[in-house]
Amino acid sequence: MEIKLKSLKNRIIKELDEVKDAKFVADLKTKYLGRKGELATILKGLKDLTIEEKPRIGQLANEVKKELVVLFDRAEKLWHGQADEGVDFDPTLPGNRKDKGHLNPSTIVQYEIEDAFSKMGFTVYDGPQLESDYYNFTALNIPEDHPARDTQDTFWVEGKNLLRTHTSNLQIRMLEKHGAPFRGIFPGRVFRYEATDASHDHTFYQLEGLMIDKDINIGNLIATMKTLLSSVFQTDVDVRLRPGFFPFVEPGFEMDIKCLICDGDGCSVCKQSGWLELMPCGMVHPKVLEATGVDPKEYSGFAFGLGLTRMTMMKYRIDDIRLLQSGDLRFLNQF
Ligand code: DAH
């Protein structure tokens, strides 16, 4: 009986070594320690022992049983992911301080702009990134075969759908939904089928703005843009306004900002010109209003399409656009 007990113990130790999951432990436990298990069967033999043997073997049996219970307890905990290494958990100890994450620099700038516009009564809206030809182009007065389509290299997907090339798609969606008067900004991700370099990426961020009301004029547009720029850069920045063509605004402008990386001397980011196109804008084209059911005789307004990624690069003097989406911690940890 002594031998039986010891070999049982050894067998169990060996089998517990090969455990792969909690169910396996449970099955072994029933097999060996259960009411009809092997240990119980062996212990039934106690009553047949001589009076001399009984106390010694009885004690041994008790010890083996205790050891086995401990072994199974440990295995059960281990397979519940609570390995007990003999270290008590002390909830009063200070936690393990892991490095805390933080926002991507372009999200930081986005939130600053959202704050500035919220104070001017604009609401922040979101919209689809997978878009139809109609909302991305046609309704914005860019019909099929219009050369303006060629300026936005597009990722087409099945069924005349595409990854939106700009946030202007929301001008249409929002006016359709909310009508006039309207005041909103739409930050978001946009896509272009680009060969990437220091100032081009296939995925980047824009922030579109739209204000439609009675008697809105270019003065309102310029004042709004200036408020925005001074709140983001917290300093006076040099800007210039020149005519720009976009089918969905008339007149249209380019608002340029003097390159903060080279201070106007010329560098790879500003293509050696000293200026960066930062904010195309203009007065909303009557055809856009008509497409959304807003009467252009009653309402007018302005729109702008801020290059959020470019603005972020200017603000933090980042000289390669690809860094922003690289996920490279050596870059990201600087913000
Ligand atoms: N959607 C245009 C682009 O991505 C930018 C743009 C130009 C937006 C003029 C506007 C605007 O709202 O008025 O190139």
Side-chain angles (χ1 to χ4, degrees):
M1 187 160 178
E2 190 175 342
I3 294 172
K4 272 190 191 165
L5 279 170
K6 284 186 178 158
S7 87
L8 177 74
K9 185 175 127 189
N10 288 340
R11 211 155 16 109
I12 293 178
I13 290 174
K14 224 162 141 202
E15 290 194 28
L16 278 176
D17 249 345
E18 280 156 30
V19 159
K20 301 217 168 39
D21 55 34
K23 182 173 176 313
F24 202 58
V25 179
D27 290 346
L28 280 185
K29 194 173 175 183
T30 320
K31 179 173 164 201
Y32 291 117
L33 299 192
R35 255 192 319 134
K36 293 183 179 155
E38 282 200 36
L39 183 65
T41 314
I42 295 174
L43 294 183
K44 270 189 198 148
L46 272 177
K47 63 177 188 324
D48 303 318
L49 293 175
T50 60
I51 298 190
E52 289 84 359
E53 276 179 313
K54 246 186 202 164
R56 193 174 60 81
I57 303 288
Q59 198 186 347
L60 178 72
N62 264 337
E63 273 163 20
V64 169
K65 192 173 175 182
K66 264 192 209 154
E67 274 176 55
L68 291 179
V69 169
V70 169
L71 283 177
F72 273 103
D73 270 352
R74 200 178 292 163
E76 275 167 350
K77 277 191 187 150
L78 185 69
W79 289 98
H80 274 94
Q82 304 171 2
D84 178 1
E85 301 293 352
V87 182
D88 282 338
F89 174 65
D90 180 352
T92 63
L93 284 175
N96 255 347
R97 202 190 161 96
K98 296 267 185 297
D99 276 349
K100 242 169 105 188
H102 59 82
L103 297 174
N104 185 281
S106 62
T107 312
I108 296 173
V109 175
Q110 177 189 323
Y111 287 177
E112 280 170 9
I113 298 175
E114 288 179 4
D115 274 354
F117 274 99
S118 300
K119 286 183 192 137
M120 292 189 276
F122 285 73
T123 306
V124 183
Y125 295 98
D126 198 7
Q129 294 171 15
L130 181 63
E131 188 51 285
S132 67
D133 176 294
Y134 177 76
Y135 285 107
N136 196 85
F137 291 128
T138 311
L140 285 163
N141 198 26
I142 316 177
E144 244 172 272
D145 301 325
H146 192 289
R149 289 199 179 200
D150 296 342
T151 64
Q152 302 191 349
D153 291 316
T154 308
F155 286 114
W156 290 94
V157 297
E158 281 165 18
K160 266 199 157 187
N161 291 320
L162 49 93
L163 295 180
R164 69 173 176 190
T165 56
H166 52 186
T167 40
S168 306
N169 62 330
L170 293 184
Q171 290 192 26
I172 306 297
R173 285 187 177 275
M174 292 302 140
L175 283 184
E176 264 182 3
K177 189 165 175 198
H178 302 285
F182 179 84
R183 233 186 267 194
I185 55 169
F186 331 126
R189 190 182 283 153
V190 300
F191 310 87
R192 301 274 173 97
Y193 185 39
E194 295 272 9
T196 57
D197 61 28
S199 52
H200 296 88
D201 207 347
H202 47 73
T203 304
F204 55 101
Y205 291 81
Q206 290 187 338
L207 189 143
E208 191 91 6
L210 179 66
M211 176 167 182
I212 304 289
D213 212 327
K214 290 183 175 153
D215 301 324
I216 299 295
N217 57 47
I218 297 175
N220 301 120
L221 164 65
I222 294 174
T224 311
M225 300 299 98
K226 277 192 170 161
T227 309
L228 160 68
L229 288 173
S230 60
S231 80
V232 171
F233 290 105
Q234 312 239 304
T235 167
D236 276 344
V237 289
D238 289 329
V239 294
R240 68 180 188 187
L241 203 61
R242 53 194 171 85
F245 174 72
F246 304 95
F248 38 94
V249 282
E250 180 58 36
F253 307 103
E254 282 290 359
M255 187 174 273
D256 297 345
I257 175 173
K258 191 189 262 181
C259 183
L260 293 173
I261 289 173
C262 61
D263 199 26
D265 291 340
C267 66
S268 67
V269 173
C270 62
K271 294 193 197 120
Q272 313 303 333
S273 73
W275 293 89
L276 262 182
E277 287 178 25
L278 189 64
M279 194 143 48
C281 50
M283 303 305 292
V284 176
H285 198 290
K287 282 205 171 155
V288 170
L289 296 177
E290 272 164 12
T292 58
V294 174
D295 183 358
K297 290 198 192 76
E298 197 181 347
Y299 288 100
S300 59
F302 63 80
F304 58 90
L306 172 79
L308 188 59
T309 301
R310 200 164 270 181
M311 183 104 152
T312 307
M313 292 172 72
M314 286 288 97
K315 176 162 174 155
Y316 291 110
R317 315 247 195 306
I318 298 166
D319 63 3
D320 192 326
I321 188 173
R322 292 164 294 192
L323 287 168
L324 283 161
Q325 302 232 78
S326 65
D328 188 335
L329 291 177
R330 290 168 303 178
F331 167 72
L332 292 172
N333 283 340
Q334 297 175 54
F335 298 94

